[in-house]
Amino acid sequence: MASILSQKQKKREKYTLSDLKTLGTQLLSSRAHVNNLPLLLTFVSPSSPPQQVLEAVLSLQSFFTIDLPSKSSINSDTDAESVYRTWLRSKFDDFVKALIDILTSSKCEETLREVVLDTIMELVKLGNGGRFNSSVYNRFLNSIVISPSSATFLLDQLESKYFNYIDVRYFTYASLVKITKTLEAKDISDNRTVSADEDSKSHSKASIELSIQKIHHILARIPPLEVLQEKSDYEMWIGFGFSSKGSSQKDNSEVPDAEDKQSMAEEFNTKVSPVKMAKKMKLKFTKAWISFLRLPLPLDVYKEVLVNLHQAVIPHISNPIMLCDFLTRSYDIGGVISVMALSSLYVLMTQHGLEYPNFYEKLYALLVPSIFMAKHRAKFLQLLDSCMKSPLLPAYLAAAFAKKLSRLALSVPPSGALVIIALIHNLLRRHPSINCLVHWCENNDGTARDDSRASEPGDEGADSGNHADLSRRKLGIDYFNNEECDPAKSNAMRSSLWEVDTLRHHYCPPVSRFVLSLETDLTVRAKTTEIPVNDFSSGSYATIFREEMRRRVKQVPVAFYKATPTSLFSESEFVGWTFKCKEGEGEETGTIISEDDHNSSAKRHRIERGS
């Protein structure tokens, strides 16, 4: 094999650039020089010089554009002509394979790869009798996906030059469906095969993950189909239809001139309206994404898909409910994956009628301290507030979320405590039935009673059983189970929001000031408004510091004490202790001496140094 390659290399070295131009001119001038075709094909290789590759590609492109037959016309010719056209078709396949090898080779220059890409797209446009050559385009995309080299440059070129054509988008989706099915079957076969070679299994898994990443990059780069009106037009890479069905058959050896292309385009536009085209594109878009989501997505691709699914996929898919299996599986995983899946799942529930019975149980389980430091916490907290807006929410569920959030306020950063106060404020305002968690008063016998509705007339006999049960709660005992994952079993209605009261003494001044908003009577909805959570959901130490720096303070002390202190500590602290100097030590040190015998008025004096 090595000797054959060396012989071909020596043969290529014999020809100069002018010789290649002569071979190309002879090939285009007469069929008598058709044997120049295999010779020119040998120069279309990643190992050839770029100038020779370019000259051979241009000559072969011109030849195949004029003389390439379609597969359907081969059997209709005479025996000799049929043999010639079959041979010609095989050489065209070799030419396409050589072009794809150059595209997927990392050794070739980007300029040459760009020219080869344009050549392939021209063959796609004109290499099938004027119709879109989907077989060549499918081979081209499949080679990009399975290639171990990077495809960023090629995808950039496709996005900037060709993805604005609607037929290119259409066949891109169709090709990706075939490719994803192949990868899915390969992954299943690899899982069923028990092999002792762990290196080969890991290599196969890595290659599948790389292919999946490339498919996602292609899907993410295709612009979504705009809403087309009846009188609007769309740009196509070819002048007329997607396939040969319903189109007039012409002599495939002839290339349609400009007038024929224009008339065919007008005929196609009269047959396929923009509205029908939008429906076809939506179906292909749906099949491509559904097939892609069935693949074993790597973690980085999984996260990126979940982040953009509610904006880039759901608005353009034919039936968004088809995504419910993927989203519910993602939501059940837990952690950051569930947080990312919440946006799309919420859209399906609110806009497309999806029923998910365990939605609030899973949402309750996501309330952990780490969620207030996550990257996507802003979107999650806004969705959490939106999910709590329904007036049909049971009281025990609203109480469980309010109690869970108030408990988290003790352990989260100040930015998290601010957004928790806003969430609890909105919960108490939307659901007056849980205000009993706030207004607890002490009876004479040491038990607690609910005074949240004491001032409302006509409520003396309502819910007497519940109030009797609530009045038996002992002070100092919190019945709330913070470790319970089921909000119905957390006993939140038997507890109180004592954690919110501790925030009055929070070390961060914005938190201690903001918690005063909960002291108003939130049951009077006419006098209160909801707090927008998005104003606090993106907060951090930096934002709190900037707000404090911009805040105008009316009175600023010039020293820690407004008056000169007479002692180091106040009289109310450290009762029974005093500060005195030991005899003989004078100015140097001071000790703390305990006075246990009837010295109730002991004071601590500041040790004055110096006489």
Side-chain angles (χ1 to χ4, degrees), residues 71-87:
K71 294 182 179 179
S72 60
S73 65
I74 292 178
N75 297 329
S76 62
D77 299 324
T78 60
D79 294 340
E81 188 68 17
S82 176
V83 171
Y84 169 73
R85 290 187 176 275
T86 303
W87 175 82

Side-chain angles (χ1 to χ4, degrees), residues 283-295:
L283 289 175
K284 288 295 181 183
F285 178 87
T286 303
K287 290 182 179 179
W289 272 100
I290 296 299
S291 301
F292 171 71
L293 295 178
R294 292 196 186 105
L295 296 175

Side-chain angles (χ1 to χ4, degrees), residues 456-577:
E456 298 183 13
D459 287 349
E460 289 81 9
D463 297 332
S464 58
N466 292 336
H467 286 285
D469 179 68
L470 295 176
S471 63
R472 290 194 294 269
R473 303 171 187 170
K474 297 293 184 180
L475 293 177
I477 299 177
D478 192 352
Y479 294 94
F480 176 71
N481 186 1
N482 191 44
E483 304 298 329
E484 178 60 49
C485 297
D486 188 359
K489 301 177 182 179
S490 61
N491 294 327
M493 291 296 291
R494 301 181 63 191
S495 181
S496 64
L497 299 181
W498 59 265
E499 298 91 349
V500 176
D501 186 66
T502 63
L503 296 181
R504 297 183 183 184
H505 311 286
H506 199 276
Y507 70 91
C508 186
V511 177
S512 59
R513 289 195 304 265
F514 190 42
V515 77
L516 299 179
S517 62
L518 297 178
E519 293 184 355
T520 59
D521 189 3
L522 298 177
T523 58
V524 184
R525 298 173 61 89
K527 297 182 180 179
T528 57
T529 57
E530 291 189 1
I531 297 177
V533 176
N534 54 351
D535 294 344
F536 305 94
S537 57
S538 315
S540 61
Y541 282 106
T543 57
I544 293 176
F545 180 77
R546 286 195 297 266
E547 291 296 330
E548 285 296 298
M549 292 297 294
R550 287 196 293 263
R551 183 170 175 267
R552 295 183 62 182
V553 182
K554 296 181 180 179
Q555 186 178 7
V556 180
V558 294
F560 186 78
Y561 297 102
K562 295 182 179 180
T564 303
T566 58
S567 61
L568 183 61
F569 300 103
S570 63
E571 296 181 2
S572 60
E573 299 177 355
F574 299 99
V575 178
W577 295 83

Side-chain angles (χ1 to χ4, degrees), residues 229-249:
Q229 304 296 330
E230 283 289 347
K231 296 183 179 180
S232 63
D233 197 5
Y234 42 82
E235 194 174 6
M236 300 183 64
W237 177 237
I238 58 175
F240 55 99
F242 286 158
S243 64
S244 59
K245 296 180 181 180
S247 61
S248 59
Q249 297 291 336

Side-chain angles (χ1 to χ4, degrees), residues 93-260:
D93 294 338
D94 294 341
F95 178 50
V96 172
K97 182 179 181 302
L99 293 176
I100 292 175
D101 290 341
I102 295 176
L103 278 178
T104 56
S105 175
S106 58
K107 300 178 181 179
C108 297
E109 300 177 356
E110 291 186 352
T111 305
L112 179 60
R113 296 170 71 189
E114 182 178 358
V115 174
V116 171
L117 175 62
D118 295 338
T119 302
I120 288 181
M121 294 306 297
E122 287 295 327
L123 295 177
V124 168
K125 181 179 182 180
L126 303 173
N128 192 23
R131 293 181 296 275
F132 197 99
N133 198 330
S134 59
S135 61
V136 174
Y137 191 68
N138 186 31
R139 289 173 58 188
F140 162 61
L141 282 183
N142 187 60
S143 301
I144 291 179
V145 170
I146 66 176
S147 173
S149 59
S150 175
T152 305
F153 173 75
L154 294 177
L155 296 181
D156 290 339
Q157 293 297 316
L158 281 173
E159 181 183 10
S160 60
K161 291 184 177 181
Y162 302 106
F163 279 166
N164 57 324
Y165 297 106
I166 192 170
D167 51 350
V168 176
R169 299 186 215 173
Y170 181 90
F171 285 104
T172 301
Y173 289 136
S175 299
L176 290 179
V177 171
K178 299 177 182 179
I179 296 171
T180 51
K181 288 181 179 179
T182 304
L183 286 177
E184 186 178 6
K186 181 180 179 182
D187 180 68
I188 294 175
S189 63
D190 290 344
N191 292 334
R192 290 180 178 177
T193 303
V194 180
S195 176
D197 191 358
E198 295 295 335
D199 294 336
S200 62
K201 292 176 65 176
S202 60
H203 177 72
S204 177
K205 183 179 179 181
S207 63
I208 292 177
E209 290 183 354
L210 180 60
S211 300
I212 293 173
Q213 290 177 352
K214 290 181 180 180
I215 293 175
H216 177 251
H217 291 165
I218 295 174
L219 287 172
R221 290 171 183 265
I222 302 176
L225 183 65
E226 301 84 2
V227 180
L228 300 176
Q229 304 296 330
E230 283 289 347
K231 296 183 179 180
S232 63
D233 197 5
Y234 42 82
E235 194 174 6
M236 300 183 64
W237 177 237
I238 58 175
F240 55 99
F242 286 158
S243 64
S244 59
K245 296 180 181 180
S247 61
S248 59
Q249 297 291 336
K250 298 180 68 67
D251 186 4
N252 293 302
S253 61
E254 298 177 0
V255 179
D257 54 15
E259 295 180 359
D260 292 337

